[in-house]
Amino acid sequence: MRVIAKRILREFWDIQNDSAEQLKTWHKEASKAKWTSPNDIKSEYPKASILKNGRVVFNICGNKYRLIVKINYLRSWVFIRFIGSHKEYDKIDADKLYGHENHLIVINHERVNHTF
């Protein structure tokens, strides 16, 4: 899979240092994966939550952080949609993060939108 964009994860782990190793591992595993359906993800990540419209929520650091991605299975693309604490995740609607170009990082309740 092609993960777009690692920079989003790096910016988050530079501030939330305790997430660095797990996010690096997730990125490495996702980049090597050949997911063709949500079932492929659930077999590798049983605690991942499958949402509608190709979205998946991954628990990072024992569910301390949440990572939302949108997956295009046909093109093997994984778009980062959100990374933040579980508490910050509870304040958003994961099904309503739109567009390929908008990515949301929430760090200490401060939102940082990225446009590519």
Side-chain angles (χ1 to χ4, degrees):
M1 306 298 286
R2 180 172 178 219
V3 179
I4 304 167
K6 184 177 182 180
R7 178 172 61 104
I8 302 292
L9 300 176
R10 190 178 308 114
E11 288 176 10
F12 186 80
W13 78 54
D14 282 347
I15 295 170
Q16 301 294 347
N17 299 59
D18 62 331
S19 69
E21 287 310 310
Q22 286 196 17
L23 285 173
K24 288 176 187 178
T25 298
W26 178 89
H27 182 270
K28 184 177 180 180
E29 291 172 356
S31 296
K32 291 181 180 180
K34 302 206 182 308
W35 297 324
T36 60
S37 72
N39 291 336
D40 294 340
I41 295 169
K42 286 299 275 186
S43 68
E44 195 172 335
Y45 294 94
K47 293 187 179 183
S49 299
I50 307 298
L51 307 179
K52 59 185 176 182
N53 298 322
R55 287 183 171 79
V56 180
V57 180
F58 293 94
N59 299 322
I60 306 295
C61 293
N63 210 16
K64 181 176 181 181
Y65 303 110
R66 306 302 295 273
L67 170 64
I68 303 173
V69 301
K70 179 170 175 52
I71 299 177
N72 182 319
Y73 295 100
L74 294 175
R75 295 183 186 226
S76 298
W77 293 341
V78 178
F79 297 95
I80 307 295
R81 287 284 166 255
F82 170 89
I83 180 74
S85 72
H86 194 126
K87 183 177 180 180
E88 292 155 342
Y89 168 85
D90 288 341
K91 295 178 183 178
I92 66 165
D93 184 342
D95 290 318
K96 292 187 178 178
L97 298 173
Y98 293 111
H100 292 293
E101 59 284 335
N102 294 321
H103 306 271
L104 178 65
I105 299 176
V106 180
I107 302 170
N108 297 327
H109 307 290
E110 191 172 316
R111 292 172 182 238
V112 180
N113 288 305
H114 289 271
T115 303
F116 297 96

